[in-house]
Amino acid sequence: MNTVYPLKTLNQLRPLLVGFRKANGLTQKDVSERLGVTQQTYARLEANPGSASIERLFRVFTILGVEMTLSSGSPSTATESAVSDNKDVLPARREKW
């Protein structure tokens, strides 16, 4: 059975990583060895996953057997106005950085 864990803030990422790791019966040392990094390096990533690149997170998720699925929710008011101005713009281009 696939369970969906909506991730809406970066603060939710750490408990998910810890939970998936423990659900697989893995220690930080086990994961770090599979990644080819030290336990301390993995511990830093797990403590602050919001600062990790998507590539690194993807490698960790792969080791933990986690599949990522991205979905589009209801757009915000700001995004709606950007979309109505230019309907051919890709979603990533709509965000104001």
Side-chain angles (χ1 to χ4, degrees), residues 18 21 23 25 36 42 53 64 66 72 81 87:
V18 173
R21 177 176 55 78
Y42 178 72
S53 70
L64 298 177
V66 175
S72 176
S81 65
K87 296 195 184 292

Side-chain angles (χ1 to χ4, degrees), residues 21-22 58-59 63 65 77-78 83 91 94:
R21 177 176 55 78
K22 289 183 177 184
F58 191 79
R59 287 181 62 204
I63 287 168
T77 306
V83 171
R94 288 187 216 140

Side-chain angles (χ1 to χ4, degrees), residues 17-28 31 42 46 64:
L17 282 176
V18 173
F20 286 128
R21 177 176 55 78
K22 289 183 177 184
N24 283 294
L26 298 171
T27 64
Q28 287 184 342
V31 175
Y42 178 72
E46 193 174 85
L64 298 177

Side-chain angles (χ1 to χ4, degrees), residues 32-51:
S32 70
E33 287 174 354
R34 293 178 188 192
L35 288 169
V37 298
T38 65
Q39 186 271 331
Q40 293 85 356
T41 298
Y42 178 72
R44 280 195 304 270
L45 181 145
E46 193 174 85
N48 189 14
S51 67

